[in-house]
Amino acid sequence: NGWIIDGVEALARWQHPRLGLVMPDEFIPLAERAGLIGDLTNVMLAAGLKQLHVWQTQGLRLTCAVNLPPSLVTDLAFPDRVAVLLAENGIDASQLVLEITETATMQNPTTMDILTRLRVKRIGLSLDDFGTGYSSLTQLYQMPFNEMKIDKSLVMNVPHSREANTMVSSLIELGHNLGLKICAEGVENRAALDMLAIMNCDRCQGY
């Protein structure tokens, strides 16, 4: 179908010396409660951009997506900190995508200001896990996103559910009509990939 690998997502994993592999659903809430989520995000951003730089020196230009926690969507200094990290690593702003869940966009009136500052710098903004909440449609046209990610709970059922197929196809068309690129999450087999190609989905993401 002409699919190419054009980007990656940076995900945190904690290899603990005694507990072994600790998954993010355990340590992310802990980091949030301890006030360390900003520091963790900075580490993720720095590591992701450093890796992009390594790949770039090898002639491979990719994008890197990093999840943005709700607390940083209220921090007015955050866009400038990201710009400094991009410059330090020699990475174009368009190669970074910040993924934001819809609940994060609803919590503070400064959110629109921060997202707009990020988009003015040409940093990508992706509305993550679309299809799992209730106010998603409002977020789509009010906020300056340039990508929508359809949640894997919908996408995984595409090959064997007519209802899921209809939902995903409709969301792709809706997103395109709003000028958004669409990424389908949870694409784990060739059947789903081929069906999403027919639906004109822009990007597909596996596990």
Side-chain angles (χ1 to χ4, degrees), residues 63-85:
T63 63
C64 179
V66 177
N67 290 296
L68 187 58
S71 57
L72 291 180
V73 190
T74 63
D75 180 357
L76 285 168
F78 178 71
D80 287 333
R81 292 205 304 274
V82 177
V84 169
L85 277 174

Side-chain angles (χ1 to χ4, degrees), residues 120-133:
V120 165
K121 297 177 188 299
R122 294 183 306 109
I123 294 164
L125 292 178
S126 185
L127 181 58
D128 200 12
D129 300 337
F130 189 85
T132 57

Side-chain angles (χ1 to χ4, degrees), residues 1 6 16 44 46 73 85 96 119 135 164 166 172 191 194-195:
N1 297 336
D6 74 336
H16 192 279
M44 294 297 293
V73 190
L85 277 174
L96 175 63
R119 280 303 291 148
S135 59
T166 301
I172 291 170
D194 290 344
M195 292 175 81

Side-chain angles (χ1 to χ4, degrees), residues 109-151:
T110 59
T111 294
M112 178 65 93
D113 191 3
I114 292 163
L115 297 185
T116 302
R117 291 182 193 197
L118 291 165
R119 280 303 291 148
V120 165
K121 297 177 188 299
R122 294 183 306 109
I123 294 164
L125 292 178
S126 185
L127 181 58
D128 200 12
D129 300 337
F130 189 85
T132 57
Y134 298 103
S135 59
S136 304
L137 289 173
T138 310
Q139 311 299 324
L140 269 187
Y141 71 83
Q142 286 187 348
M143 300 287 181
F145 293 104
N146 61 303
E147 181 186 62
M148 173 177 86
K149 296 186 83 170
I150 304 176
D151 189 69

